Amino acid sequence: MSGLRQLEKPPRRRVRGSRRWALVAAVSVLTAGLTGVARADDAVVNGCVTSVPDPGTTAPVSICYTVFRPPGASADKPVPLIFDSHGWGGSRATAASAFADFLGAGFGVLSFDQRGFGQSGGQAQLENPDYEGQDVQRLVDLVAGLDWVAKQAPGDPVLGAMGGSYGGGYQFVGAFSELRDRGRTRFDALAPQITWYDLAGSLAPQGVPRSEWPLLLYLAGIPSNANPPVVTTGLLESLATGNFPDSLAAFMAHNGPQWNVGQGRRLDIPVLFGQGITDNLFPLEQGLKNFQNALTPQARSHSIFVGYNGGHTLPSVFPPGAPGAVDVFSSAQATGDPCSAQLGGSDFRALSLRFFTEQLLGKPTGLGGQGTYHLATLGGRCQTVESTAANTAIPVGTLSSPVGLGLPQSIPLARGPVTIAGTPTLDAGVTSTSPDGRLFMALSVGTSALDAKIVQNNMLPLRQLGGTEQRSGVELPSVAVDVPAGQSLFLTVSPISDLSFAHGSRIPGIMTLQNTVVRLPVVR
């Protein structure tokens, strides 16, 4: 299997000095279907490649790009190249000033419009390996034919990728689709921000839609007609039923690292992860699962995880949440990012430049922090931990809450000062008198249960389809928070959450949790 072959290889980290540049290949790429192919004397070139048709159609789809060649790059002095792409609803950058820092550091850049957006054709297939995966591979073929781009072997450019949200999704679909189709990926390093591990699980955890986010995303796809028909009908069905439709789950089944991991594939290249801890579309746990599951152990030891207070953040009004930065559909810079600064970058972009300088140029910068998690607390402090697993059990006893209608309740767990950093879990025997009982749960902080606020604005559902079931390891939202002296940490349980508006239990009832134990990732 292609995944097994990749597992056996060490990370393709650094090819230093003359060894890399001696591998400059006389590579010829078929130019049928290519327009505006860059020449050696072109500093900025716009063009398009021809890629596979949309599902159910026969017309090839054009994927349009802009290539930026840095000063001094030539066949005699080839340089690495970095891909960049936009978030959902966006389009590529066409001005060299957008990449002045990377061009000045000696990197070429290719920025492109993803399928369904900007000047590219087709409709978005939400990073499907058979469509967007092929789009990315066609673009890699393109840059492999540029004589000023450094090569590790014929057809194999020295290549990185960056971008946030949907612009992080293309990095994984490109690298994993190459691993599937070619047995190895030509990407040498990635720097994805605020993206997903499990797309359906992000949009509808346990099949409970996050109603506000799918609607906002759908509206952002309307101007360029990016939304495929299955998304339109699926959104309407979810609004009507309160459930994530099987048609959407099937449509998204292959669209993310989780599916590739299930197929036995792991990436064996270093990755700099940036994930928004206040993100309630692709929450912190999505990034943690990418770091923990999508890489080989050796690649993970050379990778860095940064969590910052930013991302796709909508306010949690009911139950009330702590303030968070608003960065909708973001590929912009992080806010509240003490960890990038602590690691040696003024922000995540500057840290990415330093990361690529080491991984692609082979120039040591003294960058540290590999193999560990660096998480911004809600108060703006950087907490570094080697594990985000829960390590402290707190017995809670029996909890009972109405579902469908009712008020939230907060149960005390620990008094401050204490720091929590990672993914808490819950064990309980769960009973529901509603045939589809749904509670929303999160950690919160306050001086009492009356003023406790949801940590970093994220809740996850606990769903019980009638009857009784023993549940173990139920994930609560991942967090990083310093609980100060004079305040306490609570478990907040609510029958409703505004982020899943109208998607609580449609039939009221009572959900009971017996012998409840909350397990916390306490920083010792």
Side-chain angles (χ1 to χ4, degrees):
M1 293 176 59
S2 60
L4 294 179
R5 280 183 285 172
Q6 183 74 356
L7 279 166
E8 295 168 357
K9 294 176 56 184
R12 300 167 64 231
R13 295 179 62 236
R14 303 174 186 164
V15 181
R16 298 181 182 275
S18 61
R19 290 178 58 206
R20 169 171 286 171
W21 314 134
L23 293 174
V24 175
V27 178
S28 175
V29 174
L30 294 175
T31 58
L34 306 183
T35 63
V37 178
R39 302 184 302 272
D41 57 348
D42 291 324
V44 180
V45 170
N46 295 293
C48 302
V49 298
T50 298
S51 192
V52 297
D54 276 350
T57 69
T58 58
V61 170
S62 293
I63 304 299
C64 297
Y65 63 85
T66 302
V67 173
F68 304 90
R69 180 175 59 86
S74 66
D76 295 328
K77 295 181 179 179
V79 299
L81 185 134
I82 296 174
F83 276 27
D84 175 81
S85 195
H86 52 83
W88 181 266
S91 59
R92 75 187 192 269
T94 57
S97 58
F99 305 106
D101 47 353
F102 283 85
L103 296 171
F107 294 99
V109 177
L110 180 143
S111 182
F112 72 99
D113 292 328
Q114 299 202 55
R115 181 176 292 242
F117 297 104
Q119 294 179 320
S120 291
Q123 290 184 309
Q125 304 303 309
L126 306 187
E127 309 296 13
N128 187 298
D130 295 330
Y131 300 97
E132 282 89 353
Q134 302 310 305
D135 300 342
V136 175
Q137 290 192 46
R138 302 293 174 93
L139 292 169
V140 177
D141 291 340
L142 169 76
V143 301
L146 301 179
D147 62 2
W148 56 266
V149 173
K151 314 293 190 305
Q152 302 210 68
D156 184 3
V158 180
L159 188 62
M162 62 184 180
S165 190
Y166 205 61
Y170 88 84
Q171 299 177 51
F172 283 120
V173 77
F176 271 118
S177 69
E178 287 208 315
L179 185 54
R180 181 193 67 172
D181 299 342
R182 303 167 62 95
R184 58 187 293 273
T185 180
R186 290 175 287 179
F187 285 95
D188 299 291
L190 307 177
Q193 290 190 69
I194 54 175
T195 196
W196 66 88
Y197 176 71
D198 172 10
L199 183 57
S202 295
L203 296 172
Q206 293 197 39
V208 180
R210 283 188 165 112
S211 50
E212 294 185 13
W213 277 117
L215 181 59
L216 287 172
L217 292 166
Y218 183 82
L219 293 174
I222 289 176
S224 61
N225 192 32
N227 300 311
V230 65
V231 171
T232 302
T233 57
L235 178 63
L236 294 174
E237 183 178 344
S238 70
L239 292 173
T241 66
N243 297 315
F244 196 64
D246 292 341
S247 58
L248 275 183
F251 179 67
M252 299 179 185
H254 298 176
N255 297 21
Q258 183 186 50
W259 176 73
N260 286 282
V261 170
Q263 297 292 307
R265 288 184 280 272
R266 304 288 192 281
L267 294 178
D268 205 23
I269 56 177
V271 180
L272 172 63
F273 291 91
Q275 200 74 19
I277 301 182
T278 50
D279 196 311
N280 43 33
L281 171 60
F282 302 136
L284 175 60
E285 57 262 22
Q286 292 290 309
L288 295 177
K289 289 175 181 177
N290 272 326
F291 187 80
Q292 293 157 1
N293 301 330
L295 305 181
T296 66
Q298 189 171 5
R300 191 162 51 251
S301 70
H302 298 296
S303 300
I304 302 172
F305 190 95
V306 173
Y308 50 77
N309 287 308
H312 314 81
T313 302
L314 291 175
S316 179
V317 178
F318 190 85
V326 177
D327 194 6
V328 179
F329 313 135
S330 174
S331 57
Q333 295 310 297
T335 59
D337 186 9
C339 294
S340 288
Q342 182 170 297
L343 289 168
S346 57
D347 53 26
F348 189 82
R349 184 179 177 103
L351 188 66
S352 300
L353 179 56
R354 187 171 177 180
F355 177 74
F356 286 130
T357 297
E358 290 208 350
Q359 299 298 338
L360 303 183
L361 288 175
K363 295 180 179 179
T365 70
L367 180 62
Q370 292 84 356
T372 53
Y373 307 88
H374 311 275
L375 307 177
T377 67
L378 186 60
R381 187 179 64 83
C382 182
Q383 175 67 57
T384 296
V385 294
E386 294 186 358
S387 172
T388 59
N391 56 25
T392 302
I394 308 292
V396 176
T398 298
L399 307 177
S400 185
S401 174
V403 296
L405 296 172
L407 297 175
Q409 57 179 308
S410 295
I411 299 93
L413 298 176
R415 292 182 178 179
V418 63
T419 295
I420 309 296
T423 304
T425 63
L426 178 144
D427 302 340
V430 183
T431 302
S432 176
T433 62
S434 170
D436 188 357
R438 305 177 185 194
L439 285 178
F440 299 91
M441 312 181 77
L443 297 185
S444 57
V445 174
T447 59
S448 71
L450 296 177
D451 65 8
K453 290 183 171 57
I454 301 299
V455 176
Q456 290 157 326
N457 286 346
N458 189 19
M459 301 193 83
L460 283 176
L462 175 65
R463 189 176 186 184
Q464 180 66 28
L465 301 177
T468 301
E469 181 182 0
Q470 185 65 39
R471 307 284 287 274
S472 298
V474 175
E475 289 190 357
L476 302 175
S478 303
V479 298
V481 60
D482 294 318
V483 183
Q487 297 193 31
S488 295
L489 183 74
F490 297 87
L491 171 66
T492 292
V493 177
S494 177
I496 59 175
S497 168
D498 57 357
L499 292 174
S500 296
F501 178 73
H503 292 329
S505 298
R506 297 291 174 95
I507 300 176
I510 299 294
M511 187 180 292
T512 301
L513 283 64
Q514 294 182 324
N515 301 318
T516 307
V517 176
V518 175
R519 302 184 187 277
L520 299 174
V522 177
V523 178
R524 303 299 187 185

